[in-house]
Amino acid sequence: MLYAPNRPMSEVDLSLLWSAVALLAIGFVMVYSASIATAEMSRLTGFRSHYYLIRQGMFIAIGVVAAVIAFQIPVAWLQRGAPFLFLACILTLLLVLIPGVGVTVNGSRRWLPLGITNFQPSELMKLAVVLYAADYTVRKAAFMQDFKRGFLPMFGVMFLAGGLLLMQPDFGAFVVITTIAMGILFLGGLNWRLFAGLIMLLLCAFVALILLSPYRLQRVLGFMDPWADAYGKGYQLSHSLIAFGRGEWFGVGLGASVEKLFYLPEAHTDFLMAVIAEELGLLGVLAVVALFVWLVWRAFLVGRQSASLERYFAALVAQGIALWLSVQTFINMGVNMGLLPTKGLTLPFLSYGGTGIVINCVAVAVLLRIDYENRALMRGRRA
């Protein structure tokens, strides 16, 4: 059982809340450590070493405010609003692709300008897919064994969303939202034979996308042997592995990383885990992994409790958020450790970034709201 019947219940799962707070705090410190050298030498930052620290703090503050607001929204309202949020995200993905509207960075057009910062629609799309797929699965529960009536409509809308993401291009976000949608459909009762066949088709599609795209193919080749071209396609991965090697058991000390001194690209975003490994060592890496494992495990337990209370939409949302965070975390850490090809996915709660931090905070708030309603329902049944 998730809750012991002879113990008083708090309003929410405090261990879930504090694990998220701990990850945000670690990220706040490590983003500052990883970005000092870059900020001091960049005209964009005004040569201010604390530039990314201030902005990360601002993003966390906005995320906390957004989370407090999101916590006030009943889960039933989220279910009713899920299709509209998904449609709004599709429209923003279309806006990103319009020349002069979307902001292009490093060859990818993934952002919309909002004055002091940029908004990344693909981050909001991850949450929208969780809500929409959960709502769809509950509405179509009677047809989950039927390919035409159960799976095909969902495939159509996800094909549209995935196509827009690939046009940016954002292959990482495409993988994440595909995993979320497929995972929720499977948890909702999709025929396992159909699910296995679709997994095989998706794997073939991923391989085709890699082979047909020169830059993706180069990334895979660089991943297979980064040392063969350590100054070219294997540059990022080779320096990430050097950072992990230098960290050893206990790290070189907070702020003492060498790789962040213009050797490791994107040290405060995609490759923040490598800086954590170098400065805090294996101990620091294991601490971060343990916090993520605990958060995801608690999220799955919240989903299981919702299912036992026959709150199936809430159950699928909680489990969908758990899938989202676990898959994105696994991909980011896998890339940093050389287990997966280089992909532009940030580490949830830790990496520098506005939209990602805010949406991660909102996702935790949705989990806490589900848990809050579960506990309230259980108290009502005991009374």
Side-chain angles (χ1 to χ4, degrees), residues 122-187:
S122 61
E123 292 294 334
L124 181 57
M125 176 57 86
K126 295 169 187 174
L127 178 59
V129 166
V130 170
L131 297 175
Y132 180 77
D135 174 55
Y136 176 89
T137 303
V138 170
R139 286 189 286 109
K140 299 282 189 177
F143 307 112
M144 280 295 104
Q145 301 294 317
D146 189 322
F147 175 80
K148 185 177 180 180
R149 300 176 68 182
F151 173 76
L152 206 55
M154 186 64 180
F155 175 80
V157 294
M158 292 309 301
F159 182 82
L160 173 61
L164 292 173
L165 288 170
L166 290 175
M167 290 172 68
Q168 294 182 4
D170 194 346
F171 186 70
F174 170 73
V175 171
V176 172
I177 70 163
T178 301
T179 303
I180 292 170
M182 291 297 298
I184 290 177
L185 287 175
F186 179 72
L187 292 170

Coordinates of all heavy atoms in Angstrom, one line a residue, residues 122-187:
S122 N 8.3 22.9 -27.7 CA 8.4 21.5 -27.5 C 8.4 21.0 -26.1 O 8.1 19.9 -25.8 CB 9.7 21.0 -28.2 OG 10.9 21.6 -27.6
E123 N 8.9 21.9 -25.2 CA 8.9 21.5 -23.7 C 7.4 21.5 -23.2 O 7.1 20.5 -22.5 CB 9.7 22.6 -22.9 CG 11.2 22.5 -23.2 CD 11.8 21.2 -22.7 OE1 11.3 20.6 -21.8 OE2 12.9 20.9 -23.3
L124 N 6.6 22.4 -23.6 CA 5.2 22.4 -23.2 C 4.5 21.2 -23.9 O 3.6 20.6 -23.3 CB 4.5 23.7 -23.5 CG 3.0 23.9 -23.1 CD1 2.8 23.6 -21.7 CD2 2.5 25.2 -23.6
M125 N 4.9 20.9 -25.1 CA 4.3 19.8 -25.8 C 4.4 18.5 -25.0 O 3.5 17.6 -25.1 CB 4.9 19.7 -27.2 CG 4.4 18.5 -28.0 SD 2.6 18.4 -28.2 CE 2.4 19.5 -29.6
K126 N 5.5 18.3 -24.3 CA 5.7 17.1 -23.5 C 4.6 16.9 -22.5 O 4.0 15.8 -22.3 CB 7.1 17.1 -22.9 CG 8.2 17.0 -23.9 CD 9.6 17.3 -23.2 CE 10.7 17.4 -24.2 NZ 12.0 17.8 -23.6
L127 N 4.3 18.0 -21.8 CA 3.2 17.9 -20.8 C 1.9 17.8 -21.5 O 1.0 17.0 -21.0 CB 3.2 19.2 -19.9 CG 2.1 19.3 -18.9 CD1 2.2 18.2 -17.9 CD2 2.2 20.7 -18.2
A128 N 1.7 18.5 -22.6 CA 0.4 18.4 -23.3 C 0.2 17.0 -23.8 O -0.9 16.5 -23.8 CB 0.5 19.4 -24.5
V129 N 1.2 16.3 -24.3 CA 1.1 14.9 -24.8 C 0.7 14.0 -23.6 O -0.2 13.1 -23.8 CB 2.4 14.4 -25.4 CG1 2.4 12.9 -25.6 CG2 2.6 15.1 -26.8
V130 N 1.3 14.2 -22.4 CA 0.9 13.4 -21.3 C -0.6 13.5 -21.0 O -1.3 12.5 -20.9 CB 1.7 13.8 -20.0 CG1 1.1 13.2 -18.8 CG2 3.2 13.4 -20.2
L131 N -1.1 14.8 -21.0 CA -2.5 15.0 -20.6 C -3.4 14.5 -21.8 O -4.4 13.9 -21.5 CB -2.7 16.5 -20.4 CG -2.0 17.1 -19.2 CD1 -2.2 18.6 -19.2 CD2 -2.4 16.5 -17.9
Y132 N -3.0 14.8 -23.0 CA -3.9 14.4 -24.1 C -3.9 12.9 -24.3 O -5.0 12.3 -24.5 CB -3.4 15.0 -25.4 CG -4.2 14.7 -26.6 CD1 -5.5 15.3 -26.8 CD2 -3.8 13.7 -27.5 CE1 -6.2 14.9 -27.9 CE2 -4.6 13.3 -28.6 CZ -5.8 14.0 -28.8 OH -6.6 13.6 -29.9
A133 N -2.8 12.2 -24.2 CA -2.8 10.8 -24.3 C -3.5 10.1 -23.2 O -4.2 9.1 -23.5 CB -1.3 10.3 -24.4
A134 N -3.4 10.6 -22.0 CA -4.2 10.0 -20.9 C -5.7 10.2 -21.1 O -6.5 9.3 -20.9 CB -3.8 10.7 -19.6
D135 N -6.1 11.4 -21.5 CA -7.5 11.7 -21.8 C -8.0 10.8 -22.9 O -9.1 10.2 -22.9 CB -7.7 13.1 -22.2 CG -9.1 13.5 -22.6 OD1 -10.1 13.2 -21.8 OD2 -9.3 14.0 -23.7
Y136 N -7.2 10.7 -24.0 CA -7.6 9.8 -25.2 C -7.8 8.4 -24.7 O -8.7 7.7 -25.1 CB -6.6 10.0 -26.3 CG -6.8 9.1 -27.4 CD1 -7.6 9.5 -28.5 CD2 -6.3 7.8 -27.5 CE1 -7.8 8.7 -29.6 CE2 -6.5 7.0 -28.6 CZ -7.3 7.4 -29.6 OH -7.5 6.6 -30.7
T137 N -6.8 7.9 -24.0 CA -6.9 6.5 -23.6 C -8.1 6.2 -22.7 O -8.7 5.1 -22.8 CB -5.6 6.1 -22.8 OG1 -4.4 6.4 -23.6 CG2 -5.5 4.6 -22.4
V138 N -8.4 7.1 -21.8 CA -9.6 6.9 -21.0 C -10.9 6.9 -21.8 O -11.8 6.1 -21.6 CB -9.7 8.0 -19.9 CG1 -11.0 7.9 -19.1 CG2 -8.5 7.8 -18.9
R139 N -11.0 7.9 -22.7 CA -12.1 8.0 -23.6 C -12.3 6.8 -24.5 O -13.4 6.3 -24.8 CB -12.1 9.3 -24.4 CG -12.4 10.5 -23.6 CD -12.5 11.7 -24.6 NE -11.2 12.2 -25.1 CZ -10.8 12.0 -26.4 NH1 -11.7 11.4 -27.2 NH2 -9.7 12.5 -26.8
K140 N -11.2 6.2 -25.0 CA -11.2 5.1 -25.9 C -10.9 3.8 -25.3 O -10.5 2.8 -26.0 CB -10.1 5.4 -27.0 CG -10.4 6.7 -27.8 CD -11.5 6.5 -28.9 CE -11.6 7.7 -29.8 NZ -12.6 7.5 -30.9
A141 N -11.1 3.7 -24.0 CA -10.7 2.5 -23.3 C -11.4 1.2 -23.9 O -10.7 0.1 -23.9 CB -11.1 2.6 -21.8
A142 N -12.6 1.3 -24.4 CA -13.3 0.2 -24.9 C -12.7 -0.3 -26.2 O -13.0 -1.4 -26.7 CB -14.8 0.5 -25.1
F143 N -11.9 0.6 -26.9 CA -11.4 0.2 -28.2 C -9.8 0.0 -28.2 O -9.2 0.0 -29.3 CB -11.7 1.4 -29.2 CG -13.2 1.7 -29.2 CD1 -13.6 2.9 -28.7 CD2 -14.1 0.8 -29.7 CE1 -14.9 3.3 -28.7 CE2 -15.5 1.1 -29.7 CZ -15.9 2.4 -29.2
M144 N -9.2 -0.2 -27.1 CA -7.8 -0.3 -27.0 C -7.3 -1.6 -27.7 O -6.1 -1.7 -28.0 CB -7.3 -0.3 -25.5 CG -7.2 1.1 -25.0 SD -6.0 2.2 -25.8 CE -7.0 3.2 -26.8
Q145 N -8.1 -2.5 -27.9 CA -7.7 -3.7 -28.6 C -7.9 -3.6 -30.1 O -7.6 -4.5 -30.9 CB -8.5 -4.9 -28.1 CG -8.4 -5.2 -26.6 CD -7.0 -5.6 -26.2 OE1 -6.3 -6.4 -26.9 NE2 -6.4 -5.0 -25.2
D146 N -8.5 -2.5 -30.6 CA -8.9 -2.3 -32.0 C -7.9 -1.3 -32.6 O -7.8 -0.2 -32.2 CB -10.3 -1.7 -32.0 CG -10.8 -1.7 -33.5 OD1 -10.1 -1.4 -34.4 OD2 -12.0 -1.9 -33.6
F147 N -7.2 -1.8 -33.6 CA -6.2 -1.0 -34.3 C -6.8 0.3 -34.9 O -6.3 1.4 -34.8 CB -5.4 -1.8 -35.4 CG -4.5 -1.0 -36.2 CD1 -3.2 -0.7 -35.7 CD2 -4.8 -0.5 -37.4 CE1 -2.3 0.1 -36.4 CE2 -3.9 0.2 -38.2 CZ -2.7 0.5 -37.7
K148 N -7.9 0.1 -35.6 CA -8.5 1.2 -36.4 C -9.1 2.2 -35.5 O -9.0 3.4 -35.7 CB -9.5 0.6 -37.4 CG -10.1 1.7 -38.3 CD -11.1 1.0 -39.3 CE -11.7 2.1 -40.2 NZ -12.7 1.5 -41.2
R149 N -9.9 1.8 -34.5 CA -10.6 2.7 -33.6 C -9.9 3.1 -32.4 O -10.1 4.2 -31.8 CB -12.0 2.1 -33.2 CG -12.8 1.8 -34.4 CD -14.1 1.1 -34.0 NE -15.0 2.0 -33.3 CZ -16.2 1.6 -32.8 NH1 -16.6 0.3 -32.9 NH2 -16.9 2.5 -32.1
G150 N -8.9 2.3 -32.0 CA -8.2 2.6 -30.7 C -6.8 3.3 -31.0 O -6.5 4.3 -30.3
F151 N -6.1 2.8 -31.9 CA -4.7 3.3 -32.1 C -4.6 4.3 -33.2 O -3.9 5.3 -33.0 CB -3.7 2.1 -32.3 CG -2.3 2.6 -32.7 CD1 -1.5 3.1 -31.7 CD2 -1.9 2.6 -34.0 CE1 -0.2 3.6 -32.0 CE2 -0.7 3.1 -34.4 CZ 0.2 3.5 -33.4
L152 N -5.2 4.1 -34.3 CA -5.0 4.9 -35.5 C -5.3 6.4 -35.3 O -4.4 7.2 -35.8 CB -5.8 4.4 -36.7 CG -5.3 4.6 -38.1 CD1 -3.9 4.1 -38.2 CD2 -6.2 4.0 -39.1
P153 N -6.4 6.8 -34.6 CA -6.6 8.2 -34.4 C -5.4 8.9 -33.6 O -5.0 10.0 -34.0 CB -7.9 8.3 -33.7 CG -8.6 7.1 -34.0 CD -7.5 6.0 -34.2
M154 N -4.9 8.2 -32.6 CA -3.8 8.7 -31.8 C -2.6 8.8 -32.6 O -1.8 9.7 -32.5 CB -3.6 7.8 -30.6 CG -2.6 8.4 -29.6 SD -3.1 10.0 -28.9 CE -1.7 10.3 -27.8
F155 N -2.4 7.8 -33.5 CA -1.2 7.8 -34.3 C -1.2 9.0 -35.3 O -0.2 9.6 -35.5 CB -1.2 6.5 -35.2 CG -0.1 6.5 -36.2 CD1 1.2 6.2 -35.8 CD2 -0.3 6.8 -37.5 CE1 2.3 6.1 -36.8 CE2 0.7 6.7 -38.5 CZ 2.0 6.4 -38.1
G156 N -2.4 9.4 -35.8 CA -2.5 10.5 -36.7 C -2.1 11.8 -36.0 O -1.3 12.6 -36.6
V157 N -2.6 12.1 -34.8 CA -2.2 13.3 -34.2 C -0.8 13.4 -33.8 O -0.1 14.4 -33.8 CB -3.2 13.7 -33.0 CG1 -4.6 13.9 -33.5 CG2 -3.1 12.6 -32.0
M158 N -0.3 12.2 -33.3 CA 1.2 12.2 -32.9 C 2.1 12.2 -34.1 O 3.2 12.8 -34.0 CB 1.4 10.9 -32.1 CG 0.7 10.8 -30.8 SD 1.1 12.3 -29.8 CE 2.8 12.2 -29.7
F159 N 1.6 11.7 -35.3 CA 2.4 11.9 -36.5 C 2.5 13.3 -36.9 O 3.6 13.8 -37.3 CB 1.7 11.1 -37.6 CG 2.4 11.1 -38.9 CD1 3.5 10.3 -39.2 CD2 2.1 12.0 -39.9 CE1 4.2 10.3 -40.4 CE2 2.8 12.1 -41.1 CZ 3.8 11.2 -41.4
L160 N 1.5 14.1 -36.7 CA 1.5 15.5 -37.0 C 2.5 16.2 -36.0 O 3.3 17.0 -36.5 CB 0.1 16.1 -36.8 CG 0.0 17.6 -36.9 CD1 0.4 18.2 -38.3 CD2 -1.5 18.1 -36.6
A161 N 2.3 16.0 -34.7 CA 3.2 16.6 -33.8 C 4.7 16.2 -34.0 O 5.6 17.1 -34.0 CB 2.8 16.2 -32.3
G162 N 4.9 14.9 -34.2 CA 6.3 14.5 -34.5 C 6.9 15.1 -35.7 O 8.0 15.4 -35.8
G163 N 6.1 15.2 -36.8 CA 6.5 15.8 -38.0 C 7.0 17.3 -37.8 O 8.0 17.7 -38.3
L164 N 6.2 18.0 -37.0 CA 6.5 19.4 -36.8 C 7.8 19.5 -36.0 O 8.6 20.4 -36.2 CB 5.4 20.1 -36.0 CG 4.1 20.3 -36.8 CD1 3.0 20.8 -35.9 CD2 4.3 21.2 -38.0
L165 N 8.0 18.6 -35.0 CA 9.3 18.6 -34.2 C 10.5 18.2 -35.1 O 11.5 18.8 -35.0 CB 9.1 17.6 -33.1 CG 8.2 18.0 -31.9 CD1 8.0 16.8 -31.0 CD2 8.8 19.2 -31.2
L166 N 10.3 17.3 -36.0 CA 11.4 16.9 -36.9 C 11.8 18.0 -37.9 O 12.9 18.1 -38.4 CB 11.1 15.6 -37.7 CG 11.0 14.4 -36.8 CD1 10.6 13.2 -37.6 CD2 12.4 14.1 -36.2
M167 N 10.8 18.9 -38.2 CA 11.1 20.0 -39.1 C 11.9 21.1 -38.4 O 12.5 22.0 -39.1 CB 9.8 20.6 -39.6 CG 9.0 19.6 -40.6 SD 7.4 20.2 -41.0 CE 7.8 21.7 -42.0
Q168 N 12.0 21.1 -37.1 CA 12.7 22.2 -36.4 C 14.2 22.2 -36.6 O 14.8 23.3 -36.8 CB 12.4 22.2 -34.9 CG 10.9 22.5 -34.7 CD 10.6 22.5 -33.2 OE1 11.4 22.4 -32.3 NE2 9.3 22.7 -32.9
P169 N 15.0 21.1 -36.6 CA 14.7 19.8 -36.2 C 14.9 19.6 -34.7 O 15.8 20.2 -34.1 CB 15.6 18.9 -37.0 CG 16.8 19.7 -37.1 CD 16.4 21.2 -37.1
D170 N 14.1 18.7 -34.0 CA 14.3 18.4 -32.6 C 14.0 16.9 -32.4 O 12.9 16.5 -32.0 CB 13.3 19.2 -31.8 CG 13.7 19.2 -30.3 OD1 14.5 18.3 -29.9 OD2 13.2 20.0 -29.5
F171 N 15.0 16.1 -32.8 CA 14.8 14.6 -32.8 C 14.6 14.1 -31.4 O 13.9 13.2 -31.1 CB 16.0 14.0 -33.5 CG 15.9 12.5 -33.6 CD1 15.0 11.9 -34.5 CD2 16.7 11.6 -32.9 CE1 14.9 10.6 -34.6 CE2 16.6 10.3 -33.0 CZ 15.7 9.7 -33.9
G172 N 15.3 14.8 -30.4 CA 15.2 14.4 -29.0 C 13.8 14.5 -28.5 O 13.3 13.6 -27.8
A173 N 13.2 15.7 -28.7 CA 11.8 15.9 -28.2 C 10.9 14.9 -28.9 O 9.9 14.4 -28.3 CB 11.4 17.3 -28.5
F174 N 11.1 14.6 -30.2 CA 10.3 13.6 -30.9 C 10.4 12.3 -30.3 O 9.3 11.6 -30.1 CB 10.8 13.5 -32.4 CG 10.2 12.4 -33.2 CD1 8.9 12.5 -33.6 CD2 11.0 11.3 -33.5 CE1 8.4 11.4 -34.4 CE2 10.4 10.3 -34.2 CZ 9.1 10.3 -34.7
V175 N 11.6 11.8 -29.9 CA 11.7 10.5 -29.2 C 11.0 10.5 -27.9 O 10.3 9.6 -27.5 CB 13.2 10.2 -29.0 CG1 13.4 9.0 -28.1 CG2 13.9 10.0 -30.3
V176 N 11.1 11.6 -27.1 CA 10.4 11.7 -25.8 C 8.9 11.7 -25.9 O 8.2 10.9 -25.2 CB 10.9 13.0 -25.0 CG1 10.1 13.1 -23.8 CG2 12.4 12.9 -24.7
I177 N 8.3 12.5 -26.8 CA 6.9 12.5 -26.9 C 6.3 11.2 -27.5 O 5.2 10.7 -27.1 CB 6.3 13.7 -27.7 CG1 6.7 13.6 -29.2 CG2 6.8 15.0 -27.1 CD1 5.8 14.5 -30.0
T178 N 7.1 10.6 -28.4 CA 6.7 9.3 -28.9 C 6.6 8.2 -27.8 O 5.7 7.4 -27.7 CB 7.6 8.8 -30.0 OG1 7.6 9.8 -31.1 CG2 7.2 7.5 -30.6
T179 N 7.7 8.2 -27.0 CA 7.7 7.3 -25.9 C 6.6 7.5 -24.9 O 6.0 6.6 -24.4 CB 9.1 7.4 -25.1 OG1 10.2 7.2 -26.1 CG2 9.2 6.4 -24.0
I180 N 6.3 8.8 -24.6 CA 5.2 9.1 -23.7 C 3.9 8.6 -24.2 O 3.2 7.9 -23.5 CB 5.1 10.6 -23.5 CG1 6.3 11.2 -22.7 CG2 3.8 11.0 -22.7 CD1 6.4 12.7 -22.7
A181 N 3.6 8.9 -25.4 CA 2.3 8.5 -26.0 C 2.2 7.0 -26.1 O 1.2 6.4 -25.7 CB 2.2 9.1 -27.4
M182 N 3.2 6.3 -26.5 CA 3.2 4.8 -26.6 C 3.1 4.2 -25.2 O 2.3 3.2 -25.0 CB 4.4 4.3 -27.4 CG 4.5 4.7 -28.8 SD 3.1 3.9 -29.8 CE 3.5 2.2 -29.5
G183 N 3.8 4.7 -24.3 CA 3.8 4.2 -22.9 C 2.4 4.3 -22.3 O 1.9 3.4 -21.7
I184 N 1.8 5.5 -22.5 CA 0.5 5.7 -21.9 C -0.6 4.8 -22.6 O -1.4 4.2 -21.9 CB 0.0 7.2 -22.0 CG1 0.9 8.0 -21.0 CG2 -1.4 7.4 -21.7 CD1 0.6 9.5 -21.1
L185 N -0.5 4.6 -23.9 CA -1.4 3.7 -24.6 C -1.2 2.3 -24.1 O -2.2 1.6 -23.9 CB -1.2 3.8 -26.1 CG -1.7 5.0 -26.8 CD1 -1.2 5.0 -28.3 CD2 -3.2 5.2 -26.7
F186 N 0.0 1.9 -23.9 CA 0.3 0.5 -23.4 C -0.3 0.3 -22.0 O -0.9 -0.7 -21.7 CB 1.8 0.2 -23.4 CG 2.1 -1.1 -22.9 CD1 1.8 -2.3 -23.6 CD2 2.8 -1.3 -21.6 CE1 2.2 -3.5 -23.1 CE2 3.1 -2.5 -21.2 CZ 2.8 -3.6 -21.9
L187 N 0.0 1.3 -21.1 CA -0.5 1.3 -19.7 C -2.0 1.3 -19.7 O -2.7 0.8 -18.8 CB 0.0 2.4 -18.9 CG 1.5 2.4 -18.6 CD1 2.0 3.7 -18.0 CD2 1.9 1.2 -17.7

